[in-house]
Amino acid sequence: MVSIKKIASDIGVTAATVSNALNGKGRVSEVLASRIRARADELGYRPSSAAIALKSGRSHVLGLVMPDLTNPLFPHIAQALSIAADRLGFAILIADSRGSVEEQDLAISRLISRGVDGLLVVPQRGSSPASPTTPMTIINTASDPNNSVSADHWGGGAQMARHITALGHKKILIIGADAVSEVQQDRIAGMKSQLPYETKVAILWGTAGIEQAADHVSKGVSAILTTSDLLAINVHSHLTRAGFTVPDDVSLTGFDDMAFSAAMHPPLTTIAQDVDTLADYVLDIITAQIEGKASPHVGQTIAMGLVLRHSTTAPRSPSNKEPHP
């Protein structure tokens, strides 16, 4: 690594003069400062992050706590946050709370002990983490009172329901993965808000919902709305084993627009998150907190988009449906 002493030796000045020139301090002529900066660039000089931290009292490192990195949505969000942080000169340490509130609390404590400037937390469902000593930004959903910024999960659910009802579906099954999750509750609330009063709706959760999906289709359900793409692919497998075809027998939708959704057969109609905008807002909020300022993005929700593919279509009339065993 190139040092200030090396630059000073090449130019024939003191290390203090080089430091002042690179930091815009002291009485260094512009001609000499230009020579020093040019030589630093030629040698590929980069200031020591440890030295900067010691001088400024900041590490320029953020801690990111994710609820479950086996879920492909969360690495996708983590990557977007890492790219946004890098643009602002921050590195990110990632911790996986692995589905546990206790692990989440331990991860937050460990990151604080490592001297991170701020914390970014996608919380475990039903939890409300807090840090009395370190700036923290919560990435969850608008119904969480501690939420800092989020995608518009309610609005995404509303978009999907409008799409399904516009196709003419009257008997609908909604399946969520976990009733404790604020995100999934908001998505379902958005769906229900746009369903006409005469629509027959059932709501099921988790494994029971997946296992009962085929029974509901055999009783006339023509559309199944799920709260995640992962849930949708499990429902699709169950329906296929039961002899039902998507979308001929039943339309199926997901949420989050994961990479595998377009590769399903048929490709899955879903709702996409704008993770790049989310990441930009999150970094604006946390850097403002670190500097003791206010961010205009606190409390904002980011619009989600309907992605139309081939897993949804108008319901077939009962007379055109063939019975399934």
Side-chain angles (χ1 to χ4, degrees):
M1 181 179 291
V2 179
S3 68
I4 283 180
K5 289 182 179 180
K6 167 61 175 171
I7 301 169
S9 175
D10 289 356
I11 299 294
V13 297
T14 66
T17 299
V18 172
S19 178
N20 286 337
L22 295 177
N23 291 300
K25 297 180 179 179
R27 296 182 179 180
V28 183
S29 71
E30 184 54 39
V31 172
L32 179 55
S34 295
R35 285 181 58 204
I36 291 171
R37 289 193 293 268
R39 185 57 181 157
D41 289 341
E42 289 172 3
L43 295 173
Y45 170 76
R46 294 292 181 271
S48 164
S49 57
I52 292 173
L54 185 62
K55 189 173 183 179
S56 66
R58 294 181 183 173
S59 64
H60 286 84
V61 176
L62 302 173
L64 171 60
V65 182
M66 303 299 276
D68 180 7
L69 287 174
T70 63
N71 183 325
L73 171 64
F74 296 123
H76 184 43
I77 293 174
Q79 182 184 52
L81 290 168
S82 178
I83 292 170
D86 185 63
R87 286 197 296 266
L88 297 176
F90 284 87
I92 285 186
L93 289 177
I94 301 177
D96 182 359
S97 54
R98 302 191 295 276
S100 164
V101 175
E102 290 76 17
E103 283 295 328
Q104 175 178 270
D105 293 341
L106 285 172
I108 290 172
S109 297
R110 292 189 192 106
L111 289 168
I112 291 174
S113 71
R114 293 196 176 200
V116 297
D117 290 335
L119 291 161
L120 314 175
V121 181
V122 180
Q124 289 293 331
R125 52 190 176 271
S127 68
S128 296
S131 169
T133 60
T134 304
M136 177 184 287
T137 295
I138 301 297
I139 310 163
N140 196 16
T141 188
S143 64
D144 179 353
N146 290 332
N147 180 65
S148 302
V149 64
S150 69
D152 185 4
H153 300 284
W154 191 98
Q159 286 187 69
M160 186 60 79
R162 286 194 294 268
H163 165 62
I164 286 297
T165 55
L167 290 173
H169 292 278
K170 302 291 186 184
K171 296 186 73 173
I172 296 170
L173 173 64
I174 297 174
I175 303 179
D178 192 328
V180 179
S181 167
E182 296 97 338
V183 166
Q184 295 190 40
Q185 289 282 10
D186 283 2
R187 290 176 176 184
I188 289 176
M191 293 173 187
K192 290 170 62 180
S193 74
Q194 300 299 306
L195 297 176
Y197 72 92
E198 70 271 14
T199 303
K200 295 182 179 179
V201 183
I203 300 175
L204 298 174
W205 295 94
T207 302
I210 296 171
E211 293 176 347
Q212 295 176 41
D215 290 338
H216 281 263
V217 174
S218 67
K219 295 175 182 177
V221 161
S222 62
I224 299 176
L225 314 185
T226 71
T227 56
S228 75
D229 291 350
L230 282 175
L231 193 53
I233 197 171
N234 285 320
V235 171
H236 184 276
S237 296
H238 179 77
L239 291 171
T240 300
R241 289 193 297 271
F244 291 106
T245 301
V246 174
D248 292 340
D249 297 311
V250 58
S251 289
L252 177 66
T253 71
F255 228 106
D256 293 325
D257 193 26
M258 302 311 303
F260 62 79
S261 304
M264 287 175 60
H265 182 72
L268 184 67
T269 292
T270 186
I271 296 288
Q273 294 199 43
D274 184 352
V275 294
D276 293 332
T277 298
L278 177 68
D280 288 341
Y281 282 18
V282 168
L283 266 295
D284 182 81
I285 292 169
I286 194 64
T287 53
Q289 285 182 312
I290 292 169
E291 295 169 3
K293 300 177 181 178
S295 168
H297 298 307
V298 173
Q300 287 192 350
T301 56
I302 299 164
M304 305 181 86
L306 177 64
V307 182
L308 294 175
R309 297 197 179 105
H310 301 304
S311 68
T312 53
T313 190
R316 289 194 297 173
S317 62
S319 60
N320 292 331
K321 290 187 177 181
E322 297 179 1
H324 290 265

